[in-house]
Amino acid sequence: MRCAVITLAHGRHEHLLLQQEALATADPPPDRYVVVAIGDEQIADVLARREPAAEVIGLRASRRRLPLARARNAGAELALRHGAELLVFLDADCVAHPQLIARYAAAATLSGPALLCGPVGYLPPARGGGYRLERLAAQATPHPARPVPREGELLPAADLLLFWSLSFAITAEGWRRVGGFCEEYEGYGGEDTDFAQLAAQAGLGMMWVGGAWAYHQHHESEDPPLQHAEDIVQNANLFHRRWGWWPMEGWLAQFAARGVARFERASAQWQLLDG
């Protein structure tokens, strides 16, 4: 099964280099490594003359809201044009276990069109010298809210709200049935949940794939993600218009408690507050 790994990148060059280094050890390696550089002209040079060779697509973007949905679609379009049968999406800060591609490919053969999600392990901050590939599995802590199937096990997922694009795979047939990500979303939040709803609408289920580990490199983050409040509020309103219910309710409630956003009953929409 011809596989393409698709990654979006804006900055995070050190994270991206470790991802590329790990993919060079994959068994089997990806047939194509597609990197969508969002408003970052340095990425082609950063990844040049290294294995696996990266096919870099440049995508213009404003500094305020990165077009993540459009970028994933652009990466998938290139991969499909070159004959990819399996699309594996990894965030730029995720490092693939050597068997990630093999596990996703085996799962795709067994499950047919479906959203395939491997477990994600979170890494502590890197110490002097950075991360070492051979130590990642021992250092990683699985996400507490997501299943960790046994290696080689396929576990049907009952809750599509747990889908995320951090690490997932889908066959070319499944991607075409879903139609890609909705490009009305810009910035952080909501487009993953929307994609899962589109997949369900197209008749695709979701499977947890044992052994398809991705390791998330540590970086500073906020909880709730206040730096993405504008994106989350606008994308939540868009999602509600499309599907009739609210995503990211926990974050919206936390924004309201902090005076960052409020629900306007007259318009039945969330509004970002100044200051």
mmCIF file of all heavy atoms in Angstrom, residues 170-188:
data_model
loop_
_atom_site.group_PDB
_atom_site.id
_atom_site.type_symbol
_atom_site.label_atom_id
_atom_site.label_comp_id
_atom_site.label_asym_id
_atom_site.label_seq_id
_atom_site.Cartn_x
_atom_site.Cartn_y
_atom_site.Cartn_z
ATOM 1 N N ILE A 170 -5.963 7.535 6.800
ATOM 2 C CA ILE A 170 -7.195 7.267 6.060
ATOM 3 C C ILE A 170 -6.802 6.825 4.656
ATOM 4 O O ILE A 170 -5.825 7.327 4.091
ATOM 5 C CB ILE A 170 -8.101 8.521 6.031
ATOM 6 C CG1 ILE A 170 -9.454 8.218 5.385
ATOM 7 C CG2 ILE A 170 -7.422 9.685 5.330
ATOM 8 C CD1 ILE A 170 -10.477 9.360 5.539
ATOM 9 N N THR A 171 -7.540 5.859 4.103
ATOM 10 C CA THR A 171 -7.247 5.423 2.740
ATOM 11 C C THR A 171 -7.654 6.501 1.744
ATOM 12 O O THR A 171 -8.453 7.393 2.049
ATOM 13 C CB THR A 171 -7.990 4.122 2.404
ATOM 14 O OG1 THR A 171 -9.404 4.374 2.469
ATOM 15 C CG2 THR A 171 -7.611 2.996 3.358
ATOM 16 N N ALA A 172 -7.114 6.387 0.543
ATOM 17 C CA ALA A 172 -7.485 7.326 -0.517
ATOM 18 C C ALA A 172 -8.982 7.267 -0.785
ATOM 19 O O ALA A 172 -9.637 8.299 -0.964
ATOM 20 C CB ALA A 172 -6.701 7.008 -1.788
ATOM 21 N N GLU A 173 -9.542 6.051 -0.775
ATOM 22 C CA GLU A 173 -10.980 5.912 -0.982
ATOM 23 C C GLU A 173 -11.763 6.622 0.117
ATOM 24 O O GLU A 173 -12.739 7.342 -0.150
ATOM 25 C CB GLU A 173 -11.374 4.435 -1.010
ATOM 26 C CG GLU A 173 -12.865 4.203 -1.167
ATOM 27 C CD GLU A 173 -13.278 2.761 -0.973
ATOM 28 O OE1 GLU A 173 -12.386 1.885 -0.920
ATOM 29 O OE2 GLU A 173 -14.494 2.499 -0.874
ATOM 30 N N GLY A 174 -11.339 6.424 1.363
ATOM 31 C CA GLY A 174 -12.029 7.075 2.470
ATOM 32 C C GLY A 174 -11.944 8.583 2.387
ATOM 33 O O GLY A 174 -12.933 9.296 2.619
ATOM 34 N N TRP A 175 -10.761 9.100 2.039
ATOM 35 C CA TRP A 175 -10.587 10.551 1.919
ATOM 36 C C TRP A 175 -11.529 11.131 0.868
ATOM 37 O O TRP A 175 -12.164 12.166 1.083
ATOM 38 C CB TRP A 175 -9.136 10.863 1.562
ATOM 39 C CG TRP A 175 -8.860 12.319 1.348
ATOM 40 C CD1 TRP A 175 -8.887 12.997 0.163
ATOM 41 C CD2 TRP A 175 -8.562 13.292 2.351
ATOM 42 N NE1 TRP A 175 -8.596 14.330 0.358
ATOM 43 C CE2 TRP A 175 -8.394 14.536 1.692
ATOM 44 C CE3 TRP A 175 -8.397 13.235 3.729
ATOM 45 C CZ2 TRP A 175 -8.086 15.705 2.378
ATOM 46 C CZ3 TRP A 175 -8.082 14.405 4.416
ATOM 47 C CH2 TRP A 175 -7.934 15.624 3.751
ATOM 48 N N ARG A 176 -11.624 10.447 -0.259
ATOM 49 C CA ARG A 176 -12.488 10.959 -1.331
ATOM 50 C C ARG A 176 -13.954 10.919 -0.906
ATOM 51 O O ARG A 176 -14.735 11.800 -1.278
ATOM 52 C CB ARG A 176 -12.249 10.158 -2.605
ATOM 53 C CG ARG A 176 -10.862 10.400 -3.216
ATOM 54 C CD ARG A 176 -10.693 9.701 -4.553
ATOM 55 N NE ARG A 176 -9.389 10.012 -5.143
ATOM 56 C CZ ARG A 176 -8.372 9.158 -5.222
ATOM 57 N NH1 ARG A 176 -8.508 7.924 -4.739
ATOM 58 N NH2 ARG A 176 -7.232 9.521 -5.763
ATOM 59 N N ARG A 177 -14.339 9.909 -0.155
ATOM 60 C CA ARG A 177 -15.720 9.844 0.319
ATOM 61 C C ARG A 177 -16.030 10.980 1.289
ATOM 62 O O ARG A 177 -17.107 11.577 1.258
ATOM 63 C CB ARG A 177 -15.977 8.486 0.984
ATOM 64 C CG ARG A 177 -16.265 7.398 -0.024
ATOM 65 C CD ARG A 177 -16.299 6.011 0.583
ATOM 66 N NE ARG A 177 -17.227 5.881 1.697
ATOM 67 C CZ ARG A 177 -17.447 4.741 2.348
ATOM 68 N NH1 ARG A 177 -16.791 3.642 1.985
ATOM 69 N NH2 ARG A 177 -18.303 4.696 3.348
ATOM 70 N N VAL A 178 -15.078 11.295 2.157
ATOM 71 C CA VAL A 178 -15.295 12.380 3.118
ATOM 72 C C VAL A 178 -15.261 13.730 2.422
ATOM 73 O O VAL A 178 -16.039 14.633 2.745
ATOM 74 C CB VAL A 178 -14.239 12.324 4.242
ATOM 75 C CG1 VAL A 178 -14.398 13.511 5.194
ATOM 76 C CG2 VAL A 178 -14.346 11.010 5.021
ATOM 77 N N GLY A 179 -14.344 13.882 1.462
ATOM 78 C CA GLY A 179 -14.243 15.142 0.735
ATOM 79 C C GLY A 179 -13.246 16.113 1.312
ATOM 80 O O GLY A 179 -13.189 17.273 0.903
ATOM 81 N N GLY A 180 -12.442 15.659 2.279
ATOM 82 C CA GLY A 180 -11.431 16.537 2.868
ATOM 83 C C GLY A 180 -11.985 17.401 3.988
ATOM 84 O O GLY A 180 -13.145 17.281 4.394
ATOM 85 N N PHE A 181 -11.133 18.267 4.513
ATOM 86 C CA PHE A 181 -11.499 19.169 5.600
ATOM 87 C C PHE A 181 -12.255 20.377 5.049
ATOM 88 O O PHE A 181 -11.991 20.838 3.936
ATOM 89 C CB PHE A 181 -10.243 19.667 6.327
ATOM 90 C CG PHE A 181 -9.627 18.655 7.252
ATOM 91 C CD1 PHE A 181 -8.843 17.624 6.761
ATOM 92 C CD2 PHE A 181 -9.829 18.732 8.625
ATOM 93 C CE1 PHE A 181 -8.269 16.690 7.614
ATOM 94 C CE2 PHE A 181 -9.270 17.804 9.486
ATOM 95 C CZ PHE A 181 -8.487 16.775 8.986
ATOM 96 N N CYS A 182 -13.183 20.879 5.839
ATOM 97 C CA CYS A 182 -13.920 22.082 5.465
ATOM 98 C C CYS A 182 -12.986 23.291 5.558
ATOM 99 O O CYS A 182 -12.489 23.618 6.648
ATOM 100 C CB CYS A 182 -15.135 22.267 6.375
ATOM 101 S SG CYS A 182 -15.982 23.848 6.141
ATOM 102 N N GLU A 183 -12.766 23.970 4.445
ATOM 103 C CA GLU A 183 -11.785 25.054 4.419
ATOM 104 C C GLU A 183 -12.327 26.377 4.944
ATOM 105 O O GLU A 183 -11.595 27.368 4.974
ATOM 106 C CB GLU A 183 -11.243 25.200 2.996
ATOM 107 C CG GLU A 183 -10.471 23.975 2.545
ATOM 108 C CD GLU A 183 -9.750 24.165 1.222
ATOM 109 O OE1 GLU A 183 -9.734 25.312 0.702
ATOM 110 O OE2 GLU A 183 -9.200 23.174 0.703
ATOM 111 N N GLU A 184 -13.578 26.391 5.382
ATOM 112 C CA GLU A 184 -14.078 27.601 6.033
ATOM 113 C C GLU A 184 -13.410 27.816 7.390
ATOM 114 O O GLU A 184 -13.369 28.939 7.896
ATOM 115 C CB GLU A 184 -15.589 27.515 6.216
ATOM 116 C CG GLU A 184 -16.392 27.563 4.934
ATOM 117 C CD GLU A 184 -17.884 27.489 5.208
ATOM 118 O OE1 GLU A 184 -18.433 28.478 5.744
ATOM 119 O OE2 GLU A 184 -18.487 26.430 4.909
ATOM 120 N N TYR A 185 -12.904 26.745 7.986
ATOM 121 C CA TYR A 185 -12.210 26.877 9.271
ATOM 122 C C TYR A 185 -10.829 27.454 9.035
ATOM 123 O O TYR A 185 -10.107 27.032 8.133
ATOM 124 C CB TYR A 185 -12.071 25.510 9.949
ATOM 125 C CG TYR A 185 -13.382 24.929 10.421
ATOM 126 C CD1 TYR A 185 -14.138 24.121 9.591
ATOM 127 C CD2 TYR A 185 -13.864 25.195 11.697
ATOM 128 C CE1 TYR A 185 -15.345 23.591 10.003
ATOM 129 C CE2 TYR A 185 -15.072 24.678 12.122
ATOM 130 C CZ TYR A 185 -15.808 23.870 11.278
ATOM 131 O OH TYR A 185 -17.006 23.360 11.700
ATOM 132 N N GLU A 186 -10.461 28.400 9.878
ATOM 133 C CA GLU A 186 -9.104 28.941 9.855
ATOM 134 C C GLU A 186 -8.597 29.010 11.282
ATOM 135 O O GLU A 186 -9.359 29.255 12.222
ATOM 136 C CB GLU A 186 -9.066 30.334 9.216
ATOM 137 C CG GLU A 186 -9.302 30.307 7.707
ATOM 138 C CD GLU A 186 -8.967 31.641 7.063
ATOM 139 O OE1 GLU A 186 -9.015 32.669 7.765
ATOM 140 O OE2 GLU A 186 -8.658 31.649 5.861
ATOM 141 N N GLY A 187 -7.309 28.773 11.438
ATOM 142 C CA GLY A 187 -6.743 28.813 12.774
ATOM 143 C C GLY A 187 -7.020 27.531 13.544
ATOM 144 O O GLY A 187 -7.368 26.492 12.986
ATOM 145 N N TYR A 188 -6.900 27.638 14.842
ATOM 146 C CA TYR A 188 -6.866 26.479 15.729
ATOM 147 C C TYR A 188 -8.263 26.118 16.228
ATOM 148 O O TYR A 188 -9.000 26.982 16.685
ATOM 149 C CB TYR A 188 -5.963 26.829 16.914
ATOM 150 C CG TYR A 188 -5.754 25.749 17.933
ATOM 151 C CD1 TYR A 188 -4.728 24.821 17.793
ATOM 152 C CD2 TYR A 188 -6.568 25.668 19.056
ATOM 153 C CE1 TYR A 188 -4.525 23.846 18.736
ATOM 154 C CE2 TYR A 188 -6.358 24.690 20.011
ATOM 155 C CZ TYR A 188 -5.345 23.780 19.849
ATOM 156 O OH TYR A 188 -5.146 22.816 20.790
#
